Amino acid sequence: MKYLIILGLLLSSCSAHYHVMRAMKKGYTCGQETDTITISSIDSIPYVLNDSIYFERVIVQKDTIVRYKSYKVPQTRFQTRIEYRYKTKVVKADVLKVKYKNKYITKYKTRWLFVIIAFVLGLLVKFTFSETFRSRLQLFTKLIK
């Protein structure tokens, strides 16, 4: 009976494939992946036969490049926590810099009293040079007398 329970636990437990698939979902890739690239080109070799020139095509492999793709190891909770703290500190520092710059920028305030006085003086100058305004002033002075 005891052996039957142990055998049942071994058969019903999760396999290595299950754990590898879970790790791959979290970002793990198995080993290194390599790519081999062979550069081949077509060369033509001239040769002379019976006073005429013929070309023979030959395929030549010039280079072989092996490129390694590095694999990504998933970060632990501690590493992600430290990275998050660093990013938030950088963002907070940038915000403080912007606040510091904006604090000492003096905004130009429009002096509305000066604008109104300039507008009224402009209207008075315009009216004093007009003929109708001078004639109305003369009529007003005659009415007062």
Side-chain angles (χ1 to χ4, degrees), residues 13-141:
S13 64
C14 47
S15 64
H17 179 71
Y18 170 77
H19 290 289
V20 170
M21 293 306 289
R22 279 191 67 194
M24 289 177 105
K25 284 181 183 177
K26 291 183 179 181
Y28 176 74
T29 56
C30 298
Q32 290 184 346
E33 300 172 3
T34 60
D35 287 339
T36 305
I37 302 169
T38 304
I39 300 171
S40 59
S41 64
I42 298 175
D43 287 342
S44 56
I45 300 171
Y47 62 93
V48 178
L49 186 67
N50 297 331
D51 294 336
S52 58
I53 299 174
Y54 296 102
F55 290 96
E56 185 176 335
R57 293 183 181 157
V58 179
I59 297 174
V60 179
Q61 294 181 349
K62 292 188 176 181
D63 260 343
T64 303
I65 301 168
V66 178
R67 187 177 73 193
Y68 292 100
K69 295 180 184 176
S70 62
Y71 57 90
K72 180 184 172 190
V73 178
Q75 293 181 342
T76 62
R77 288 182 185 174
F78 180 71
Q79 290 172 337
T80 54
R81 187 182 307 149
I82 296 243
E83 184 179 348
Y84 177 74
R85 284 183 187 169
Y86 175 73
K87 286 180 183 177
T88 55
K89 283 182 183 179
V90 168
V91 168
K92 285 180 183 177
D94 290 342
V95 168
L96 288 176
K97 284 180 188 176
V98 170
K99 282 184 181 178
Y100 182 75
K101 286 180 183 177
N102 290 340
K103 183 178 180 181
Y104 293 103
I105 293 174
T106 56
K107 295 181 180 177
Y108 181 72
K109 294 182 179 179
T110 306
R111 297 186 177 113
W112 290 106
L113 182 65
F114 178 73
V115 172
I116 292 170
I117 290 173
F119 183 73
V120 169
L121 285 175
L123 283 177
L124 288 176
V125 168
K126 179 183 172 185
F127 286 140
T128 54
F129 289 125
S130 69
E131 186 69 32
T132 57
F133 183 72
R134 281 187 268 151
S135 64
R136 287 184 183 174
L137 275 179
Q138 288 176 355
L139 285 174
F140 183 69
T141 52

